[in-house]
Amino acid sequence: MIFKNKNVPTNLDASNSETESLSQSQIVRRRFLHHRGAMVAIFALSAIIILVFSALELKLFGLKYRGWWKYNITDMPDLAYKECPGGTIGCPTMSLRPTFLGGAGIRFGEHPFGQDDVGHDYFALVMRGAQRSLLVTVIIGLVGGAIGTVVGAISGFYRGWVDAVLMRFTDFIITIPTLIIGSVIGYHFGNLGVTFLALYLGLFAWTGLSRLVRGEFLTLREREFVDAARVAGASNRRIIFKHILPNAVGVIIVSVTLLMSGAILLETALSYLGFGVVAPDVSLGVLISRYQEAFSTRPWLFWYPGIFIVAIALSINFIGDGLRDAFDPRQRRRITRKDRQQARVMKRKVAKDA
Amino acid sequence: MLAYIMRRLGILLVILFGSSFILFNLAAISGDPLADLRISKDPNAKQQMAVLIRDLHLNVPPPIRYFLWLKGILGGLVGNLDFGKARDGQLVSTSIASAIPVTLRLISMATFTAIILGITIGIVTALRQYSRFDYAMTFVSFLLFSLPIFWVAVLLKEFMAIQFNNFLREPTVAPPWLIGLSLFSGIFWSAVIGGTRKRVWIVFGFAASISAALLTFLSLSKWFLNPGFGPITLLLIYIGVAFGVTQLSVGLNSRAALKSSLTMAALGIVFYFPVQKIFMAENKLLFFPLLVLVTIGLAVGVSFIFAKIDRGPTIRTTVISAAIMGLLMIIDKLMHTWKPYMENDAINARPVPTIGQTNALLEPGNYWLSTLDIVMHLILPTIALTAISFAGYIRYSRGTLLEVLNQDYIRTARAKGLTERTVIMRHAFRNTLIPLTTIIVVDIAGIVGGAIITERVFGWRGMGTLFNDAINRFDLNLLMGVFFLTASLAVLANLVADLLYSALDPRIRVNTQ
């Protein structure tokens, strides 16, 4: 059955945007902005970031920002139990079902995500956890991306013994499974704080990226425009930064996004095993691992951090997908229903003319 | 070629040496294995410390101690492999030897299912590119990419184990579930089969009503308490298998293949009751390989009767069908074991376990009961691992098949008038498998050390647990033993993948200079 569908259009007359004279970056930007999944993901991710970072108290360079949420992670209000169903304690007060559907109306309440065992507001804890997870993700992305790009660029551009040494070094690090490195590092340096942990993880997370960048540099350095630049007397530095790097930027951006979506899962996995973020600090992985036994009695302690992890990782993955589509020169525009209709109209017109 | 392999092996040894040296020192400087003994009030603490220092050579500084460890490993070249002692005085090699079978059992089933499911769905999405099914599967695969496995595991324990066990107390499917499952099945099959709007609706109607009827029948006849196919249902399924395998393998136009597959189906039913006897026989180690050999022999013989010329494809088709039929017969047998299993005191009518490798309370001796026990303990981890890893296979196989379908030789094949089945299965699918093979080889090696979290969530004692213990207790020798094994597997797999690639694809030549 599967094989009989022959009406898949393979090549449509795309006389519109694809043939306009646009610069490479304009094409990429336009393609990215037209990728619906990526746009939704960007919107969702920014919403999460704004929510998460504005809720709690923040201290930055001596400036203090008082968050809009009334509790902090150290506050211990009284445990609510009166209105909780089934004799549980600290149940969530958030309700999304309006009154006319038999619910309690749309309200946020005193403790929207409930409270933990001793009464800490769980909304504040989840917000702090998400802040930590996002921070780790960004740091790993930046550190890993920077090292990977530099190593890949140098070994791809200079080749020879530089390349051999750098790539063997990369192989060393690839052989050690990430979780092993993470655990060794996390176990012994986790208590130095989450920033330190993320920096260390970033030091080992660049290997895949450096291989990709190296491959890209190896092909780009043989191209005519590089020869032209060299004949014109450009220095190696100028060739790398002005000529090759802008052409390799697509590969770099895409793999850094994928690196970041892997990083958030790595952090949660490490925290789950007890090698990542340690008490009193919290991350989403810590919260899940702490309350997994509570799932049957107080499921909200388990759902909310999990939903935040999935939402963040999913958004990053979709943004990465959109970027890949946008940067891939072989990628044809997706064929929409409007295109098919247009093609049918054209066909009819041609038939009528003939 | 030989020179190339030797050179690669040389590089591989250097890499293993380098990375083990890095890890050894990293792990050694990062913690003190005697820390808990130093503050211990136990009067024997001093003596224990002395024993540990002697056994683990703790008085030697790490960079030099590494070479002591390396000496033990290099002893493997002369048949005297020595991983050293763990902190509890046990030999590391014994712990590893007992952990490997557990890990292999845990991951092999999951990897197998993930590969089969992932490639199948990936291919269907590529053939239905930019359809709703494609978009839905893209979303699902991204979702699976983004799930932490321990989170999935807890959800599975709640819904697949605890709730399902509760359901078995009163095994009738409630109407909301019935409607939901039927609608889902309708939507799924209409999306997979696709086509014009009319056909989509017809398929939807058929799939939804058949699922609804089936579920109602199963729940009314209390099938979930005493499952099994029985000979008649089995015959229907066999005929379906014969047609399906023939269509995919050589096409229904090949009468010889169809006839011999159908004959195997008939033979399978004829031998149904004798085989049940063999299943109950005492000496299973002898009978099982014999049964497999007889099945394959029968399949080859039958295809020799029906196919006069060009026997290869017919034999292949018949053997594949016979293998699937044999598997179904074993599944049927396991299903018939379900009732006694449920009634066993150790199980107490809650058959889906949430934790552990086997049920220790189950008395040994009954082969089928213990097999079913192992299978039941495998179910949840297998679903969790499959869900996480098959998303990758969907994306890979979809991408590769799309690339292959753009090639000129596909256009040539279509232009010379081959059927779409031949173009897809013979020209496109086989070329898709080349890059997939290499990915699969590397994945399988990586997963041996990668099931740490799964083992922990489900309480299995495999390589992951060993590794976890090693880090928690600063057990350097144990850590290095686990690492050495997983790392050598990983680099070897990379080498095998490269060689396989050049063997499968004649366009690739290995770099022999």
Side-chain angles (χ1 to χ4, degrees), chain B residues 151-380:
Chain B
W151 201 67
V152 180
V154 174
L155 291 186
L156 281 176
K157 281 183 183 183
E158 177 67 23
F159 293 109
M160 291 288 298
I162 297 172
Q163 307 264 12
F164 186 74
N165 285 338
N166 290 344
F167 159 79
L168 282 179
R169 238 183 269 154
E170 189 57 52
T172 38
V173 183
W177 274 97
L178 190 79
I179 295 170
L181 285 175
S182 316
L183 283 181
F184 176 76
S185 137
I187 292 171
F188 180 81
W189 287 111
S190 55
V192 169
I193 291 171
T196 58
R197 190 158 295 180
K198 191 176 149 203
R199 194 163 93 171
V200 165
W201 279 110
I202 291 174
V203 172
F204 175 80
F206 264 104
S209 43
I210 288 176
S211 323
L214 195 65
L215 279 173
T216 321
F217 174 71
L218 292 183
S219 100
L220 285 183
S221 62
K222 303 265 186 237
W223 187 82
F224 293 104
L225 286 182
N226 189 10
F229 292 131
I232 297 172
T233 325
L234 212 53
L235 178 66
L236 289 179
I237 298 176
Y238 279 2
I239 293 175
V241 168
F243 272 96
V245 172
T246 314
Q247 159 70 0
L248 286 179
S249 167
V250 284
L252 288 176
N253 287 333
S254 165
R255 288 291 148 188
L258 185 61
K259 275 181 202 159
S260 46
S261 294
L262 285 175
T263 313
M264 281 313 284
L267 284 177
I269 293 304
V270 170
F271 286 118
Y272 180 78
F273 289 104
V275 168
Q276 298 297 320
K277 282 258 161 32
I278 297 178
F279 276 157
M280 292 318 285
E282 283 298 312
N283 204 344
K284 285 179 180 87
L285 283 179
L286 182 73
F287 273 116
F288 267 9
L290 209 69
L291 215 55
V292 173
L293 282 181
V294 168
T295 314
I296 294 177
L298 262 180
V300 174
V302 167
S303 24
F304 260 87
I305 296 174
F306 284 105
K308 297 292 176 236
I309 45 162
D310 193 20
R311 287 190 170 119
T314 310
I315 293 178
R316 187 186 66 208
T317 313
T318 320
V319 169
I320 294 176
S321 320
I324 296 178
M325 289 169 192
L327 205 64
L328 280 170
M329 208 177 256
I330 292 178
I331 292 176
D332 179 63
K333 176 64 197 164
L334 279 177
M335 281 176 157
H336 284 303
T337 322
W338 178 261
K339 194 159 185 256
Y341 183 73
M342 287 267 286
E343 284 163 359
N344 197 303
D345 285 340
I347 308 305
N348 199 13
R350 295 188 78 77
V352 187
T354 53
I355 212 157
Q357 302 148 216
T358 47
N359 192 331
L361 296 174
L362 196 72
E363 67 272 25
N366 188 329
Y367 177 81
W368 290 102
L369 273 189
S370 16
T371 309
L372 186 61
D373 189 50
I374 290 178
V375 171
M376 293 315 289
H377 279 87
L378 264 175
I379 282 187
L380 289 193

